[in-house]
Amino acid sequence: YTEASSNPITTFSFYIASNSVPSGKTVTIAFWYHMYGSNMGTLRCYGHQGSTYKATIFSASGQQQASQGSAYIKASGSYSTNSTTTNYVSFYGTTGSAYRSDMIVDSVNMTYV
């Protein structure tokens, strides 16, 4: 969750790590998000294999919901592994130019098949 009331523009990030994923598997990342506000910034999600960037899972800028009470939106994406290592998902959020740019990510799930 970002708290945008303390301008200037703020960027947050966090990483979630999985256990070692075998080579040749497809990693899928799914999560729910809410981005409502007239000054909304940008939310991005990336998949990583070890320290290597693998895929942009999600990127959205500006208001995504019609109201504060609108349902969360589900996002997902995937990438293939080429070695056995720990996989990560990273989120980067940048608030907008004023206090109406709170955003939230919920229920992150990383699986592989």
Side-chain angles (χ1 to χ4, degrees):
Y1 173 77
T2 63
E3 176 51 58
S5 62
S6 60
N7 287 330
I9 295 172
T10 303
T11 298
F12 77 92
S13 63
F14 66 93
Y15 284 79
I16 299 171
S18 73
N19 292 329
S20 292
V21 176
S23 180
K25 299 294 183 178
T26 298
V27 176
T28 299
I29 300 163
F31 62 94
W32 295 85
Y33 70 95
H34 200 284
M35 296 172 68
Y36 171 72
S38 59
N39 306 114
M40 187 54 61
T42 302
L43 177 63
R44 291 183 180 92
C45 174
Y46 302 105
H48 308 268
Q49 184 178 346
S51 60
T52 304
Y53 161 84
K54 292 295 285 185
T56 299
I57 303 301
F58 174 83
S59 181
S61 295
Q63 181 172 299
Q64 301 298 305
Q65 271 85 352
S67 70
Q68 184 176 357
S70 294
Y72 282 49
I73 300 169
K74 187 174 185 179
S76 65
S78 60
Y79 61 90
S80 297
T81 61
N82 56 10
S83 67
T84 301
T85 187
T86 301
N87 283 257
Y88 299 89
V89 58
S90 63
F91 289 90
Y92 293 89
T94 303
T95 60
S97 59
Y99 69 93
R100 291 185 178 100
S101 61
D102 294 343
M103 62 187 82
I104 190 166
V105 171
D106 194 16
S107 301
V108 179
N109 188 21
M110 183 187 295
T111 58
Y112 68 88
V113 290

